Amino acid sequence: MLGEAMILFQIAGIGMIVAIIHTVLKQMGKEEIAQFTTLMGFILVLLIVLGKLSELFQQIKSVFLFQG
Amino acid sequence: MDIIIVVSIGIVASLLALIVKEQNSSIAFFVVVVTGIIIFLFVLQKITGILLLIEQLGERANVEGLYIKTILKIIGIAYITEFGAHLTRDAGLSAIAAKIELAGKIIIITVAIPILTAVIETILHFMPGG
């Protein structure tokens, strides 16, 4: 259970770090790079969450003996 | 006590989501999604025990295996539909949630067609005219 909760903290950490980097880059005047970092952070979290989602759906399929 | 684990994860995750929501709300929604997944995975391990009981009872009452299988499939579909619908409604998009629920209902009905036909046939057998 603890391993699962770690993922939660990782995602929240990524979200906050990306937001901080975004504001720092904006202060430095590099707008596009700030947008790119935010996008990268979003894609990274998306990959993590999609991995968990596919694992969940595999579990549901095996538990509810889905053949269809 | 398992429920304590689930409730603590839920509270911690909602706090995390609120914190992250100020900076960028998209990743806050991801936190909510992952919390739902984690609690669902935790519950799924418990459901296997219940399903074994249902299957054993079904065999003892020599109910046909097809009905039990269909019922389990319908429960699974209902779980996934409810999971997706609540998540999208939580993100504020109730229109999409309504569409997901509609699709879930239709899929459940299509899965339940064999049972419906069986019931209708048995009723027709009882009818004197049939």
Side-chain angles (χ1 to χ4, degrees):
Chain A
M1 246 353 240
L2 199 57
E4 304 282 337
M6 290 312 286
I7 291 171
L8 262 180
F9 294 112
Q10 283 166 5
I11 290 176
I14 290 173
M16 277 188 263
I17 288 167
V18 162
I20 291 163
I21 290 172
H22 184 85
T23 44
V24 164
L25 280 175
K26 205 174 272 183
Q27 250 83 36
M28 283 162 53
K30 291 192 170 52
E31 272 295 325
E32 311 84 18
I33 299 178
Q35 300 293 349
F36 285 149
T37 44
T38 310
L39 194 61
M40 284 308 129
F42 183 81
I43 290 170
L44 187 64
V45 173
L46 185 63
L47 289 176
I48 295 172
V49 171
L50 283 183
K52 291 301 288 182
L53 204 61
S54 69
E55 182 196 332
L56 171 76
F57 286 148
Q58 282 309 322
Q59 285 266 349
I60 288 183
K61 263 192 192 158
S62 64
V63 164
F64 289 104
L65 30 104
F66 269 23
Q67 271 78 30
Chain B
M1 287 286 287
D2 295 339
I3 188 65
I4 292 174
I5 297 173
V6 172
V7 169
S8 47
I9 283 185
I11 290 171
V12 165
S14 48
L15 287 171
L16 281 178
L18 286 180
I19 292 171
V20 178
K21 188 160 268 186
E22 284 126 25
Q23 275 102 4
N24 44 19
S25 64
S26 54
I27 294 190
F29 178 62
F30 277 128
V31 171
V32 174
V33 169
V34 171
T35 322
I37 291 173
I38 288 174
I39 293 178
F40 226 20
L41 285 176
F42 187 77
V43 168
L44 268 185
Q45 286 141 17
K46 309 240 173 289
I47 287 175
T48 39
I50 298 171
L51 291 188
L52 281 182
L53 173 70
I54 289 178
E55 270 155 27
Q56 277 150 14
L57 289 180
E59 271 140 32
R60 195 162 304 161
N62 53 48
V63 174
E64 206 194 308
L66 172 71
Y67 299 148
I68 304 279
K69 272 203 179 61
T70 325
I71 289 171
L72 293 186
K73 203 181 274 190
I74 286 175
I75 293 174
I77 294 174
Y79 256 122
I80 297 177
T81 318
E82 191 232 342
F83 180 78
H86 281 307
L87 275 182
T88 40
R89 190 165 292 128
D90 201 20
L93 307 163
S94 54
I96 296 176
K99 291 296 165 291
I100 290 175
E101 275 168 6
L102 178 73
K105 286 175 192 147
I106 289 172
I107 290 168
I108 283 175
I109 291 174
T110 46
V111 168
I113 283 175
I115 293 188
L116 296 179
T117 43
V119 165
I120 290 167
E121 269 151 28
T122 43
I123 290 172
L124 283 181
H125 277 311
F126 294 147
M127 304 279 275

